[in-house]
Amino acid sequence: MKTNHWRELVAEWRSLLTDGIHWRDDLKAALTVACIALPMALAIALASDVPPAVGLITAIVASIACAVFGGTQVGISGPAAAMAILIAEVVEKHGLTGLAIVGLGCGLLQFLSGTFGLGSIARFIPFPVVAGFTAGIGAIIFIGQLPRALGLPSPDESHVLSVIVHLREMLQETHPATLALTLGTLSIAFVLPVYFPKWPAALVAVIIPTLVVVGLDVHADTLGTLTHAWPQLQQLPDRGAWLELLEATLVAYALASFETLMSASAIDKLSKTSRTNFDQELVGQGLSNIVVALVGGMPATSVIARSSLNIHAGAKTRFAAIAHGLILLAVVVLGAPLIARIPVAVVVGILLSIALRMFHPREFLGFWERSRMDALAYGLTFLTIVFVDLVAGVQAGCVAALVIAILRMGQIRTQLKVFPESAILELKGSLNSLAAAQMDRARTELSDDALKQGLIIDLAKVTSIDASGASHLIELIKSLRERQKKVAVRGINNETRSALHAFDLNGDLAQSLALTESEVADILHADERLLFGALRYRREVKPRYQELFNRLAEGQKPHTLFIACSDSRIDPNLITTSDPGELFFVRNVGNIIPRCGADALPAEGAAIEFAVGILEVREIIVCGHSGCGAIKEVLAGNIFSDQKAAEFPHVAKWLADVRSLKDELPANVSIQQAAELNVLNQIEKLKTYPVVQEKLRQGKIRIHPWYFDIAHGELYEWDFVKGLFVPVGTATRPGTAERISAGIQYQIP
Ligand code: ZN
């Protein structure tokens, strides 16, 4: 149970009542909306086959109740055209008592679903289904009202086909005055907003024809005296009817909730301040529908057109909707005799204008252009509603929604980006049999011009690949290769790898698969690997670092001197996730530090003095690694043979420094132990530099022996207490500076 929604609502009302209501703005909006809501309520009552009073009561009570309890501040609730056909069916079969039962059930379901937090469920219904539904209702209302518009008697059945047959039979008996009245109203309702957008078109479209009828004393059927009957809930329907009522209740619940949540989303988009609480809005609509049913109204929803009018007219708070309800009440009480004289044909004209606005042929064309699937869902919903019935239409829409969701889930999306160093075709989603059309489209997009520098097919966002998906991909690669284009496939994960290998019978794919960026570059630009990389850096990486580089241009302040082997497999920035500007490097073969003063051209000594003395780094790391070539050479001893020393004099001379290490080792030391010992030995030599000694004495520097295991990609640090290398982050680490000063003891296990 979400009691916090109620707490929020109470808090909102408290602040509204203390901080004051925007009287002027809210009243102006209330008046504007009431001018439209009055003819709307009459028209929708007509479409719903209920007396005019039922429409008016609904407009009054629903707007006030929803404003008090609902989850949106500036929405307007009331009778909705979308509900009219359903209501007319219920009234036809079960009378106003049946309608009250449906209204109560619908309200209760809405209240419960809002209370249990199902407020956003209706947002999963796809837009084409909603649009097809709305257009279908519009078409039914329009065709259903044609007999009235022509002044003909009502057909026996309200189904669209029956109405059309009825119209064909009765067309000669068209009543010209009624038709003129309807067309006049319809024209005003449509033309007025074009020239006078600020006028309440619907109200004017009611008033002018009514005045003409009264003034010229034309005979026309009028709405007549407003009579209201309380629902007779004691006259319960018989057992057979309950099942039909239950079905109608569920449809009413689905429709009303959906219309409401759609409207609430629209309100949030239109209003800068409104943030709808969807659950609370359903709770409010539910309570409102219960009250409305008890006073003899019909199920209501939040309505988009009146809500947006409210927002455009400047409504600021919930008070606008309440005032709108009160104004309607006053008009009904004081103006009942005037309302009674409104001709039915005029209300029909208003209704036709509402129905026409629900029907947008251009919308269907838009769906058709963008996605055939959407257009199909729209058409299916529309046709089923119009030619079968409302319930079947809602069901068809739901099935269409489900099918769309499943197809979308199984759909691949492709995106082609062309860059100076390569084009990238990014695939997203599931690569399966449904992907054929999309892959064909992608193939036509791949022009020779776009593929000048080769194509990378990026599968990183592909969730699964099946047999047909793999064959589509292989077909694409083969066709590109036939066009002499270079193709690299990257971003393969564990799920997609096995599928691709299984279906790649001729190895077409294998020669395009790239595990690393360098393999991508090898396939596309074998001769210009770093140029390719530099171009990608400029496009993908540089933007992220631009600000850092701007700052670093003023000077460097690295925190660490990192001493490592020249080995290509050691990437200090990668294994420490550090950025430019953080590490000051000394790299050489075997990560060796010559003893202070021992080197005639002291490159390492200069770097150490610069880092420790001038840049004042706080940490020094000496990082050895597994499989170090320098250590291997020293252990084997070949490099010091006369022949090798003559061939590679610099290597021999350089490594002679390490050789002293070997002399101190037990005979059976392994390459790993030698590499670890080498690290510790370099630290002893590091301490021969006065600048290091001084900082150690002041406690301003810490030295860390590290070791990188290439095969496992794992980093180890020296544990000064245990006297061995342990996984980084697990060492016991008190007082490293003192221990460094005291000297490191390495025990050969
Ligand atoms: Zn090495």
Side-chain angles (χ1 to χ4, degrees), residues 43 74 83 167 211 217 287 368 420 459 611 643 737:
V74 284
M83 304 285 292
L167 282 173
L211 288 179
D217 200 18
L287 288 176
W368 184 257
L459 302 182
Q643 191 202 339

Side-chain angles (χ1 to χ4, degrees), residues 565-567 590-591 625 628-630:
C565 183
S566 300
D567 194 294
N591 45 273
H625 68 100
C628 182

Side-chain angles (χ1 to χ4, degrees), residues 191-214:
V191 174
L192 197 67
V194 178
Y195 296 102
F196 303 96
K198 295 229 157 166
W199 289 28
L203 190 66
V204 178
V206 169
I207 290 175
I208 293 179
T210 304
L211 288 179
V212 170
V213 168
V214 173

Side-chain angles (χ1 to χ4, degrees), residues 5 230 258 362 419 438 502 506-507 515 539 558 639:
H5 295 164
W230 295 94
F258 190 76
R362 222 185 293 160
F419 300 112
Q438 196 62 29
N506 300 323
L515 195 63
R539 175 167 56 74
I639 190 70

Side-chain angles (χ1 to χ4, degrees), residues 637-658:
N638 292 340
I639 190 70
F640 306 116
S641 69
D642 290 345
Q643 191 202 339
K644 282 269 182 164
E647 199 176 344
F648 307 112
H650 295 91
V651 180
K653 190 171 181 230
W654 178 247
L655 290 184
D657 196 275
V658 193

